[in-house]
Amino acid sequence: MWRPAVLARRAFVNRVVANQSFHGLHNHVSTNQILAPVSSFASSFRYYSNWVSSKSCLRQTTRLFSSNPSSVSEESIENDNKDTVFSVSFESDEGSSVFDGIEDNLPADNGSDFGGNKVVMEDDEKGVEVKELDLEKLESVLSLLQSSGVIDVSIESNLEEIRLNLNEEFVVRVLETPYIPGENLISFFKWVLKKPEFSVTNRAVELLVTAICIEGRNVYALWDLVKEIGEKEKGILSAEILNDMIGLLSRLGKGKAAFEIFNKFGELGCAPNADTYYFTIEALSRRSIYDWASTVCEKMLNADMLPKGAEKVGKIVSFLCKGSKTKDAHLVYLSAKEKNINLPVSSIKFLISYLCRKDESVKLAIDMLDEFPEKEWKHAIKSFSYVINGLCRAKEVTGENIEEAKNLLVKMIDAGPPPGNAVFNTVINALSKKGEMGEARKLLKVMEGRGLKPDVYTYSVIMSGYTKGGEMEEARKILDEAKKKHSKLSPVTYHTIIRGYCKLEQYEKALELLGEMEEYGVQPNADEYNKFIQSLCLKALDWTTAEKLLEDMKENGMHLNAITKGLVRAVKELEQEEVGTNEVMTTA
C-alpha cells in the first residue's frame, strides 16, 4: 500500500523541479485536470499529500499505477497571477514506463538530491536549513505505528531496526498522519526524545497534543509526557498546548486533572490566558467542584482576562450560579459590563433569578433590571417576578423593601412587562403583613381596573391583614365581596376569620361562620376543629360546645387528636368538681 504512494510523491516532486514529461496515473485522474500552482519544493510536497488524500484512486485499488501505463501529453497554462499551472491528459500507450526518463534527465537544482527514495526540503527564505526525508523509511515507520495492538517495547525495538536519521520534519510528517493510535504516537514520541540528534520543538509537541485530543483517549499518558517535557525543556510548551489538554479533560469530565494542569502553568513556564480560565472553570463546573471554580474565577478577574465572546462569559456566569456562587457570578457580569460585553439575555435572567434567592443580594438584581436590554423588556416577566418576590419574601420585610416592590410593580404597569395576578398578590400580601391595608385595597382596585380577576388567595391575604389588626368587620366585608366573585371559597378563607374571632373570644360569631362554611360547600378540616376546640376549652372553658363540635367531627368522618380529647375531659371534670364543691358548701 505504501510503496505506490512513495513513488507517486517522488514522481510529483521530480516533475515540478525538472518540468519534464512523465507517464502517470491510469484512468483515476480526469482528463485536463488542473493542479494548483507550486512555488517551492516544500509547498509542492505538501500540496501533493493533500491532493492524493482527496482522490479515491488510492482507496479503490491496491495498485496506484496501471500495468498498462499511458502516454502523457501536457501543456502549461498561466493563471491571472502568472503562476504556472499544469494541465494533464492521458492516452493509453502500451509499452511505456511509469517514470520513463525522469530520473535520468533530472538537472541539478541548488544542490538538491532527488535520487533514491529521499526528498530534500529546502527552506527558501533562509536558504540554509536543509531537511531530508527518506520516504521509504517514513513508509516503514507509518506502517509500524498504524498497526494495532503493538506494545511499547516492540515499537521501540522496531524503530531501532529502521535506523532513522531523525529531524523535525520527519517527526512532523509522522504526527500529521491520521489513523495512528494515540498510544503508538506517544510511544514513538518518547523514543524520539531519547535520540540526541532530535531537539524537541513547540511545533512537534503541539501536533502530538492535537492528534491525541482528536482521538480523545490516552490523555493521562499524554499529560505525563508533556509535563516531563515542560520540566526538562523550558520555553517549549505554550498556553495553547496546555489549553487543548484542559479542554479535552473538560469534555471527558476530568475536572480535577484539568485543575492540576492549571496549577502547573507557572512551573512549566507558561502564562494562563483567557481560554485557560474558561476551560478550567468549565471542567470544574461539569464535575460540580464549584469551590475550586470560584478560586479560578477570582484569579481570572484579578488578571483581567475574560474569555473572548459573550457566549463564553455567559456560560461562566451560569456555571457559578448553579454552584450558588452568585456573588462571583455578579462580579463577572460587572467586569463584562465594563468591557462592553453584552451577555446573552438567558444568562442575565439566570443570574437575576439566583440573586433573588438570598435577601442580601436582591438589591443587586434590582440594579440589573434597570440595565435590562430594552428590546427584551416586555419579555422579562419572570425576572421582575423574581425580584418582587425576593423583596417581599425577606424574613423582615421593611418599608423600604415594600416601597421598592411597589415601584417595580408600577413600572411594570406603565412600561411592561404586564404584571399578572401572582405579582399583584405578592405585593398585596406584603402590604397586608405590614398592616398597610389601605394600600392593599388600592392594589386590589388596580387589579380589577386592568381586567384581572382577584383570586381567592388575594381576598384571603387581605382578610388576614384585617384580622391581625382586630378589624373583623372589614374582614367580613372582604369575605362577602369574595363570595360574590367566587362560587366556592377555600377553607383557608374562612379559617382566617374564625381564628380572628377566637382571638377576640367572640365564639358565637366563630360558630356561626363555621356553620356557614358547610352551607357554601366548604368542609372544615380536622385541624380547624382542633384549634377551635382548644380555644373553647382554654379560654372559655366551654366543654359543652367543644363536645358538640366533637360529635360533628365524628359525623364527618374526622377524629380529634388525643391531646385535645384529654383537654375536653379535663375541663369537663374541672367544672364538675367545682359544681360539687359549691353544692357541698351550700348544704353546709
Side-chain angles (χ1 to χ4, degrees):
M1 170 181 176
W2 283 97
R3 181 69 179 174
V6 173
L7 295 175
R9 290 190 184 98
R10 188 200 319 165
F12 183 82
V13 176
N14 288 344
R15 177 185 173 199
V16 173
V17 175
N19 195 17
Q20 297 288 329
S21 300
F22 69 97
H23 301 287
L25 305 176
H26 173 63
N27 294 333
H28 291 296
V29 182
S30 61
T31 59
N32 299 321
Q33 183 168 3
I34 296 177
L35 305 181
V38 181
S39 58
S40 69
F41 303 135
S43 60
S44 66
F45 185 90
R46 289 190 178 91
Y47 172 73
Y48 183 78
S49 299
N50 294 333
W51 177 78
V52 169
S53 65
S54 68
K55 301 302 176 183
S56 60
C57 59
L58 295 180
R59 293 188 291 272
Q60 292 174 344
T61 177
T62 57
R63 299 187 61 187
L64 179 61
F65 301 103
S66 171
S67 58
N68 298 316
S70 327
S71 63
V72 182
S73 64
E74 61 183 24
E75 59 180 355
S76 63
I77 59 175
E78 294 185 352
N79 61 9
D80 295 337
N81 296 321
K82 304 302 181 180
D83 294 321
T84 300
V85 180
F86 298 100
S87 176
V88 186
S89 61
F90 300 93
E91 291 181 1
S92 178
D93 182 14
E94 288 193 26
S96 61
S97 173
V98 175
F99 298 110
D100 198 12
I102 295 179
E103 294 185 2
D104 295 335
N105 298 322
L106 281 179
D109 187 2
N110 295 329
S112 299
D113 179 14
F114 285 82
N117 292 317
K118 296 181 179 180
V119 175
V120 177
M121 312 295 291
E122 182 175 349
D123 192 325
D124 289 337
E125 295 181 1
K126 296 181 179 179
V128 176
E129 183 180 358
V130 177
K131 303 176 182 179
E132 185 178 273
L133 289 182
D134 190 320
L135 297 181
E136 282 191 350
K137 290 186 177 182
L138 176 61
E139 172 192 347
S140 299
V141 171
L142 295 178
S143 178
L144 171 65
L145 295 179
Q146 286 178 329
S147 302
S148 59
V150 182
I151 60 176
D152 293 349
V153 176
S154 177
I155 287 180
E156 292 190 0
S157 62
N158 282 299
L159 288 172
E160 293 290 350
E161 293 176 1
I162 299 175
R163 299 181 180 278
L164 299 173
N165 293 322
L166 290 174
N167 54 49
E168 182 188 17
E169 193 65 27
F170 187 94
V171 174
V172 165
R173 292 293 181 217
V174 173
L175 295 175
E176 286 179 338
T177 303
Y179 310 121
I180 298 179
E183 58 268 24
N184 289 355
L185 277 180
I186 293 174
S187 298
F188 168 75
F189 208 86
K190 287 181 178 178
W191 177 80
V192 167
L193 291 176
K194 297 176 184 178
K195 300 301 175 182
E197 66 268 27
F198 177 76
S199 297
V200 65
T201 63
N202 172 273
R203 179 189 179 196
V205 177
E206 187 173 0
L207 286 171
L208 174 66
V209 171
T210 300
I212 301 300
C213 289
I214 290 174
E215 185 186 50
R217 295 184 296 174
N218 303 291
V219 63
Y220 288 115
L222 176 64
W223 168 231
D224 291 338
L225 177 58
V226 170
K227 182 167 53 176
E228 180 183 345
I229 294 172
E231 291 171 350
K232 291 181 179 180
E233 303 284 346
K234 298 299 181 183
I236 297 298
L237 300 184
S238 64
E240 288 71 22
I241 290 174
L242 298 180
N243 288 348
D244 286 343
M245 296 189 63
I246 294 175
L248 174 59
L249 289 166
S250 175
R251 295 193 298 273
L252 296 175
K254 308 295 183 182
K256 291 183 178 180
F259 191 61
E260 179 188 347
I261 296 178
F262 174 80
N263 288 328
K264 284 284 186 179
F265 264 69
E267 295 180 24
L268 299 177
C270 299
N273 58 26
D275 285 337
T276 307
Y277 293 109
Y278 171 75
F279 288 131
T280 306
I281 292 173
E282 179 188 52
L284 292 170
S285 299
R286 284 180 172 178
R287 298 299 298 168
S288 300
I289 311 175
Y290 294 111
D291 289 337
W292 292 1
S294 176
T295 301
V296 177
C297 177
E298 183 180 355
K299 292 181 178 180
M300 177 186 71
L301 294 175
N302 291 337
D304 194 25
M305 284 191 178
L306 286 183
K308 294 181 180 179
E311 194 70 29
K312 287 185 177 180
V313 181
K315 285 184 178 180
I316 291 178
V317 169
S318 299
F319 288 145
L320 294 172
C321 287
K322 290 178 181 177
S324 298
K325 304 295 182 181
T326 50
K327 289 186 178 179
D328 293 329
H330 187 257
L331 289 175
V332 174
Y333 164 80
L334 293 178
S335 180
K337 179 183 171 184
E338 290 177 1
K339 296 178 180 297
N340 295 320
I341 299 176
N342 298 318
L343 299 187
V345 175
S346 58
S347 299
I348 296 175
K349 291 180 178 179
F350 201 63
L351 177 56
I352 289 175
S353 68
Y354 273 83
L355 287 172
C356 293
R357 295 186 179 189
K358 295 182 179 180
D359 297 346
E360 60 270 18
S361 58
V362 175
K363 296 295 179 66
L364 300 177
I366 296 174
D367 296 335
M368 290 185 65
L369 279 182
D370 293 336
E371 300 160 2
F372 213 81
E374 292 184 6
K375 62 180 180 180
E376 297 290 338
W377 188 273
K378 293 185 177 181
H379 305 289
I381 180 66
K382 286 188 177 181
S383 298
F384 276 89
S385 299
Y386 286 137
V387 175
I388 291 175
N389 284 333
L391 289 169
C392 298
R393 183 212 61 242
K395 293 180 180 179
E396 295 182 3
V397 181
T398 63
E400 182 182 354
N401 284 5
I402 294 177
E403 194 63 30
E404 287 277 9
K406 284 169 59 180
N407 291 339
L408 284 176
L409 180 58
V410 171
K411 187 180 292 186
M412 292 175 73
I413 293 172
D414 292 341
N421 278 35
V423 177
F424 274 102
N425 287 346
T426 300
V427 180
I428 290 174
N429 185 38
L431 291 169
S432 298
K433 286 180 178 179
K434 292 295 291 182
E436 298 183 21
M437 303 312 301
E439 292 295 320
R441 291 294 293 272
K442 286 181 181 178
L443 282 184
L444 182 65
K445 297 298 183 184
V446 172
M447 282 184 71
E448 294 174 336
R450 291 181 58 82
L452 298 174
K453 181 181 179 181
D455 52 28
V456 174
Y457 177 81
T458 311
Y459 291 111
S460 297
V461 295
I462 295 176
M463 283 187 284
S464 177
Y466 278 124
T467 55
K468 285 180 180 179
E471 300 179 64
M472 298 308 299
E473 292 301 321
E474 293 297 327
R476 284 302 296 263
K477 290 179 181 179
I478 296 296
L479 177 61
D480 293 338
E481 186 176 340
K483 289 178 185 177
K484 295 177 182 178
K485 300 290 178 67
H486 297 276
S487 58
K488 187 175 182 179
L489 303 179
S490 68
V492 176
T493 309
Y494 286 95
H495 296 170
T496 301
I497 300 182
I498 289 174
R499 290 172 188 174
Y501 280 131
C502 290
K503 287 181 180 180
L504 298 175
E505 298 186 9
Q506 297 177 5
Y507 298 109
E508 291 182 359
K509 292 183 178 181
L511 283 171
E512 178 185 340
L513 195 58
L514 191 64
E516 184 181 308
M517 287 179 65
E518 297 180 357
E519 292 179 9
Y520 277 87
V522 181
Q523 181 62 46
N525 56 33
D527 182 64
E528 184 60 36
Y529 274 110
N530 184 64
K531 292 179 178 179
F532 195 1
I533 291 172
Q534 287 179 2
S535 295
L536 287 170
C537 293
L538 293 175
K539 294 183 178 181
L541 301 178
D542 187 358
W543 60 270
T544 305
T545 305
E547 283 191 336
K548 289 180 180 179
L549 292 176
L550 184 58
E551 291 298 325
D552 291 342
M553 289 183 68
K554 290 180 180 179
E555 290 178 3
N556 293 322
M558 291 180 285
H559 301 281
L560 196 64
N561 63 48
I563 295 176
T564 307
K565 284 182 180 180
L567 180 61
V568 174
R569 285 197 300 271
V571 172
K572 182 177 180 180
E573 291 173 0
L574 181 62
E575 184 175 328
Q576 289 175 348
E577 287 179 4
E578 184 177 353
V579 170
T581 301
N582 290 336
E583 289 179 354
V584 171
M585 293 179 63
T586 301
T587 303

